[in-house]
Amino acid sequence: MAQPTWITPAGNLGVIPEGVFYQLNLEAANPDGAVVFSLIAGTLPDGKQHTANGAIVGVPVAAVRLQGVPLQVSRDVTSKFTVRAASSDVPPRVRDRTFTITITGDDTPEFITPAGSLGTFYDSDRLDIQIQYTDTDPDD
């Protein structure tokens, strides 16, 4: 009864663009039978799932969580997580490996209108305020 041997190297699994389908199969070998994979620590990027056969699939979103609420961001978001490869033996033999995946987000617009208060208004006031920005990523 041997422990599973990881084939997929630990560390960075790559940089993935936001909104593009991605699939990667984690690999580990077990000379005595099957290997079952489970996520035991950390989190995958929003939009990604991990399966018991080692597949990481989905359409990632570059997001961070602010008080539990996902917030889409323009910068790269790196997720760190640990996956356990377990043998089908009873009791199972296990070997853990830690990975990272980076999701690249779209660039945010740059505001021309200064940040801060736009003024004090009454509910009967008619407002004519133009908020201006430039898009640093014209492909959006």
Side-chain angles (χ1 to χ4, degrees):
M1 290 202 291
Q3 286 184 320
T5 303
W6 275 98
I7 298 168
T8 305
N12 192 343
L13 296 175
V15 177
I16 306 161
E18 176 181 32
V20 176
F21 179 80
Y22 173 84
Q23 179 172 347
L24 173 79
N25 293 317
L26 300 177
E27 295 181 72
N30 176 16
D32 300 327
V35 176
V36 176
F37 298 88
S38 58
L39 182 68
I40 63 166
T43 57
L44 289 170
D46 282 353
K48 305 295 287 166
Q49 297 179 38
H50 177 269
T51 65
N53 67 358
I56 297 174
V57 297
V59 178
V61 175
V64 294
R65 296 195 177 274
L66 181 62
Q67 297 178 345
V69 178
L71 174 66
Q72 201 161 350
V73 296
S74 64
R75 61 182 166 76
D76 294 351
V77 176
T78 300
S79 297
K80 185 175 184 178
F81 54 96
T82 301
V83 175
R84 172 166 289 163
S87 68
S88 56
D89 306 322
V90 178
R93 304 278 189 179
V94 299
R95 185 158 286 166
D96 302 338
R97 186 150 280 183
T98 300
F99 303 99
T100 60
I101 293 178
T102 301
I103 308 302
T104 62
D106 291 327
D107 296 331
T108 56
E110 292 180 4
F111 284 90
I112 297 168
T113 303
S117 175
L118 296 175
T120 304
F121 306 97
Y122 297 99
D123 62 358
S124 62
D125 289 347
R126 182 176 185 279
L127 301 179
D128 188 15
I129 299 172
Q130 182 69 36
I131 298 176
Q132 297 177 338
Y133 66 92
T134 61
D135 189 353
T136 58
D137 188 355
D139 294 331
D140 286 349

